[in-house]
Amino acid sequence: MADFPRSASIHLARFFSAENLYHSHGPIFLPFYHTVSNKNLNYIKNYPYRNEKEFERELDYILNYFTPVSLEDLMATPAPDKKVFHLSFDDGLKECTEIIAPILLRKGIPATFFINTGFVDNKNLFHRYKASLILTHLKQTPDVQAELFLNEHGFNRENILRANFQQSDILDEAAELMELDFGSFLENERPYLSTKEIKKLHKNGFSIGGHGHDHPEFCTLKPKEQRRQIEKSMEWLDKHIQPKIKAFSFPFTDDKVSEKLLKKLKKDAVCDITFGTAGLKYDTVSSHLQRVPMEQNRDVNSFLKGEFLYFKLRKMIGKCTVKHP
């Protein structure tokens, strides 16, 4: 999201009040995060997560201008008159129950937690988290053999965090050369939620949705594999959670996900609602909404004012709607 037009909008937004920017009609504000932690998480180097104080400060800022709504309310009133927001979290990390849920319950904020079902109970690890652990290890304990292997496959310390799902085997081999055991990491650190913890979140009133089985970049998958990832994720939810609303958020982005597939998911009752990550935009598919990634290297006031101004400017030139192939 760090392109020039957005950056320019952030600078221009300084000349507008938050009240005026947030007041006008537009898409529903759908902010999302991944985790919140006061610790240095060596497996998360691919986005700037918030600590507890920063997270609460951002929530209080949002609550000052918007009213929180549940997923059920969001579905019931797709175009409310008042300014509302629905909060969500991706990847199903343990901080969702240890840190995030208690804060949300205290503040009375409903939310949806989107789960990678292949990682539940710490059965596997996201490929970008593998890359983060490798990078951390290389910085702490340089390994010539492993770095040469990575270089042979086009990776170095500067680009390893961009490794994709199809390159996960390369990361596994590099880790083996470094004697970095992902299985031991999962067993000792347990970064993901357990099935029991997910059920507790649901029991406490939070919505649970799918986020793919093992967090691939959907733009690299063929349509049949895209659908398989979604169905596998939603089948796990049907078995363990039985959610009232079948919700799915696309990992990374919904780039190269077709309008045909999005509509078919709704028609076939695989999903009631789906989400992308394109920011504050409309979408050509009524059952597919775009969320705003909040983990930016900017303060919440500057970022959100810039995001809302960016939407207004794009609306003026007729480019505020996401279209799908």
Side-chain angles (χ1 to χ4, degrees):
M1 294 185 65
D3 54 16
F4 176 75
R6 270 198 167 96
S7 297
S9 296
I10 288 173
H11 290 295
L12 286 172
R14 292 179 298 171
F15 302 103
F16 297 84
S17 70
E19 290 83 357
N20 288 337
L21 286 173
Y22 303 154
H23 180 69
S24 61
H25 294 289
I28 297 173
F29 176 38
L30 301 170
F32 80 95
Y33 297 82
H34 293 82
T35 193
V36 174
S37 179
N38 295 325
K39 299 178 182 178
N40 177 24
L41 303 177
N42 288 333
Y43 56 96
I44 303 180
K45 301 296 183 185
N46 51 313
Y47 56 84
Y49 55 87
R50 304 292 188 254
N51 63 38
E52 287 185 62
K53 287 185 178 179
E54 291 169 339
F55 178 60
E56 287 210 52
R57 189 160 55 244
E58 292 192 3
L59 287 182
D60 289 340
Y61 177 88
I62 294 170
L63 288 169
N64 194 42
Y65 297 100
F66 300 89
T67 301
V69 295
S70 66
L71 185 62
E72 289 84 355
D73 290 337
L74 181 67
M75 291 285 291
T77 55
D81 293 330
K82 61 182 180 180
K83 296 179 292 182
V84 300
F85 75 99
H86 180 66
L87 186 63
S88 58
F89 300 84
D90 288 356
D91 292 6
L93 295 164
K94 66 180 180 182
E95 291 81 13
C96 290
T97 188
E98 293 177 354
I99 297 174
I100 296 169
I103 293 173
L104 300 183
L105 288 169
R106 173 160 48 84
K107 291 180 177 291
I109 302 174
T112 299
F113 293 94
F114 290 107
I115 309 298
N116 291 113
T117 51
F119 303 155
V120 174
D121 296 316
N122 292 282
K123 292 181 179 178
N124 209 337
L125 186 64
F126 176 32
H127 57 278
R128 291 283 173 89
Y129 294 168
K130 291 180 179 180
S132 293
L133 287 172
I134 289 172
L135 180 59
T136 298
H137 193 279
L138 288 175
K139 288 181 176 180
Q140 294 174 346
T141 311
D143 188 309
V144 174
Q145 185 181 10
E147 295 213 54
L148 284 173
F149 172 81
L150 288 168
N151 288 338
E152 288 173 2
H153 290 84
F155 291 113
N156 53 46
R157 296 187 188 191
E158 284 69 43
N159 68 8
I160 193 170
L161 293 180
R162 295 196 291 272
N164 64 37
F165 179 70
Q166 281 75 17
Q167 296 165 322
S168 193
D169 288 345
I170 297 172
L171 300 177
D172 291 340
E173 290 186 50
E176 188 174 344
L177 289 172
M178 301 163 61
E179 298 184 354
L180 178 60
D181 190 338
F182 293 139
S184 294
F185 169 79
L186 285 166
E187 184 177 350
N188 295 328
E189 296 297 326
R190 304 198 65 79
Y192 293 106
L193 295 169
S194 66
T195 302
K196 183 178 179 180
E197 288 169 329
I198 294 169
K199 288 182 176 181
K200 184 178 179 181
L201 285 171
H202 189 241
K203 185 178 180 180
N204 285 337
F206 295 108
S207 304
I208 309 295
H211 194 49
H213 184 65
D214 40 19
H215 210 300
E217 293 88 347
F218 269 60
C219 63
T220 68
L221 305 179
K222 294 181 179 180
K224 285 186 178 180
E225 180 59 18
Q226 290 179 347
R227 173 134 184 171
R228 190 193 73 83
Q229 276 278 338
I230 297 166
E231 288 181 337
K232 194 170 184 179
S233 180
M234 301 311 294
E235 284 168 4
W236 187 96
L237 292 175
D238 285 340
K239 178 181 178 181
H240 295 280
I241 305 296
Q242 297 90 45
K244 292 180 181 179
I245 295 176
K246 297 178 181 180
F248 182 88
S249 72
F250 285 89
F252 296 105
T253 75
D254 56 7
D255 186 34
K256 292 186 171 58
V257 176
S258 70
E259 183 171 316
K260 179 181 178 181
L261 175 59
L262 292 172
K263 290 182 175 179
K264 199 81 165 60
L265 292 171
K266 174 77 170 180
K267 181 180 179 182
D268 295 346
V270 176
C271 302
D272 299 312
I273 188 168
T274 53
F275 297 88
T277 61
L280 197 70
K281 291 187 177 74
Y282 292 118
D283 198 279
T284 55
V285 179
S286 60
S287 59
H288 185 68
L289 305 179
Q290 296 295 336
R291 299 181 299 158
V292 178
M294 294 298 295
E295 289 152 333
Q296 308 292 325
N297 283 317
R298 295 184 184 274
D299 69 277
V300 65
N301 178 62
S302 297
F303 169 67
L304 282 187
K305 285 174 63 179
E307 184 70 10
F308 275 76
L309 179 59
Y310 182 63
F311 166 76
K312 288 174 177 289
L313 295 174
R314 290 183 66 88
K315 186 177 181 181
M316 290 172 63
I317 59 174
K319 292 188 177 181
C320 62
T321 302
V322 174
K323 298 177 181 180
H324 303 273

